[in-house]
Amino acid sequence: MIRLDGKQTSATLKKEIAEEVEKMVANGQKRPHLAAILVGHDGASETYVGSKVKSCEQVGFTSTLLRYENTVSEEELLQKIEEINLNDDIDGLIVQLPLPAHISEEKVTEKIDPRKDVDGFHPQNMGRLALGSPCFVSATPHGIMELIARYNIETSGKKCVVIGRSNIVGRPMSILMSQKGIDTTVTLCHSRTQNLKEICLEADIIIAALGKAEFLKGDMVKEGATVIDVGITRVPSDKTKSGWKLLGDVDFAEVAPKCSHITPVPGGVGPMTIASLLFNTLKAAKKEVYSK
Ligand code: GUN
């Protein structure tokens, strides 16, 4: 069984990005610049955005964090996005989700200029993804594809089961895994799927992205399968200083012995997500997706 080491792979990816940034600077170009908007004080969102800003520093990007109270109006937020859209100094913009109930995530996502949408959530980028056209691929799916590529996991003609149909992970994953050059046969499962266990038992690759701690058990996985765990559920723990620990969607102790490859939690998909956001921001700065 080989552990897909997201920590190490993301460090390699970040090093490649940092080298590219230094080349750009040596050529007289400006450093890539990511802006992040954080509304409210949700603990998980604070942690994620904090890591994103820190990672920008690690690779030599400029970053701007804009914080708003929960009471900010939708209009004020949309105006700020418009301002950033027009600011040539900023290459990429993310608005951390979830947002307070009085703010439409749809309106906010659609307001971001697709050329700066380094989260890849804008309908234009999602549509391009579905069409196989150049686009920003959202960070978690992109990170998973990098892990699969960098560990040379065979995909052509294999059966892939994706569990979970979220817009951020499951749905784009199902598109990517069936695209030309990857060529798996994809089954996208969700909360209404019948015979999930039987479907999983056929899979060569399982991507668990449903958000239920330790959902995938050993008797749902065939010998030699590759298992990618996207889950990060916080559960109380008296063994950690913080008082909680992270659990994946996979029962690692049961599933790992049956696998050819598996991602741990933490240290698997999570670190790849942030590295992929940096990758997208670099692409935005270099205008590689949209030429103008
Ligand atoms: N909330 C959870 N994951 C993400 C993400 O990848 N991007 C943003 N903007 N918000 C999130």
Side-chain angles (χ1 to χ4, degrees):
M1 182 269 290
I2 295 171
R3 271 177 193 247
L4 301 174
D5 186 340
K7 225 170 147 181
Q8 197 193 355
T9 312
S10 75
T12 306
L13 189 52
K14 279 186 188 171
K15 191 163 162 275
E16 291 166 8
I17 293 168
E19 284 167 6
E20 193 59 34
V21 171
E22 290 321 309
K23 269 192 219 158
M24 289 168 77
V25 172
N27 282 336
Q29 289 166 267
K30 72 171 194 67
R31 292 178 182 277
H33 184 170
L34 175 70
I37 294 179
L38 174 61
V39 180
H41 299 276
D42 174 72
S45 291
E46 296 250 7
T47 307
Y48 294 144
V49 173
S51 301
K52 289 171 185 179
V53 169
K54 196 173 132 212
S55 299
C56 281
E57 283 167 23
Q58 287 170 348
V59 298
F61 288 3
T62 309
S63 65
T64 300
L65 173 58
L66 298 157
R67 301 195 64 131
Y68 290 90
E69 289 302 324
N70 265 317
T71 48
V72 66
S73 69
E74 185 179 272
E75 198 184 320
E76 189 179 343
L77 212 53
L78 293 174
Q79 263 174 17
K80 190 68 192 177
I81 293 169
E82 181 61 18
E83 197 184 297
I84 294 171
N85 284 344
L86 298 172
N87 181 346
D88 285 341
D89 188 55
I90 295 175
D91 303 296
L93 167 62
I94 58 167
V95 179
Q96 189 64 25
L97 305 177
L99 290 168
H102 68 279
I103 300 174
S104 158
E105 289 188 357
E106 195 178 339
K107 274 195 202 162
V108 164
T109 302
E110 293 192 14
K111 188 72 178 175
I112 297 173
D113 185 332
R115 293 168 296 187
K116 298 193 179 188
D117 170 39
V118 288
D119 259 331
F121 294 167
H122 191 283
Q124 191 167 321
N125 281 310
M126 291 287 280
R128 282 177 171 236
L129 177 73
L131 294 169
S133 306
C135 65
F136 291 110
V137 177
S138 57
T140 301
H142 180 271
I144 294 169
M145 297 313 288
E146 282 289 316
L147 271 181
I148 289 174
R150 287 175 189 244
Y151 277 87
N152 293 313
I153 292 167
E154 226 185 296
T155 54
S156 183
K158 301 293 181 190
K159 287 184 185 162
C160 175
V161 168
V162 179
I163 314 173
R165 56 182 160 184
S166 70
N167 289 338
I168 294 184
V169 185
R171 181 83 55 193
M173 247 0 271
S174 70
I175 296 169
L176 288 164
M177 290 303 286
S178 62
Q179 76 183 358
K180 278 214 171 91
I182 300 296
D183 302 319
T184 69
T185 302
V186 177
T187 306
L188 180 55
C189 300
H190 45 76
S191 51
R192 297 281 179 272
T193 297
Q194 294 180 359
N195 307 327
L196 181 67
K197 182 175 166 184
E198 285 70 25
I199 294 169
C200 287
L201 276 168
E202 295 256 306
D204 302 299
I205 300 171
I206 301 179
I207 298 165
L210 69 161
K212 281 193 183 164
E214 299 187 322
F215 175 85
L216 193 77
K217 299 292 180 191
D219 65 356
M220 299 167 80
V221 178
K222 84 170 175 187
E223 253 345 290
T226 290
V227 173
I228 310 278
D229 189 349
V230 185
I232 34 163
T233 304
R234 282 184 185 210
V235 294
S237 167
D238 50 19
K239 293 206 180 77
T240 62
K241 239 196 274 173
S242 60
W244 50 265
K245 63 174 179 173
L246 290 180
L247 284 183
D249 288 350
V250 176
D251 187 327
F252 192 88
E254 282 191 18
V255 172
K258 302 184 83 173
C259 292
S260 66
H261 300 82
I262 185 165
T263 58
V265 174
V269 171
M272 292 304 293
T273 296
I274 293 194
S276 295
L277 175 68
L278 301 173
F279 177 85
N280 278 347
T281 305
L282 179 65
K283 275 207 317 193
K286 293 172 84 177
K287 312 244 181 306
E288 279 179 4
V289 177
Y290 298 91
S291 52
K292 53 186 174 76

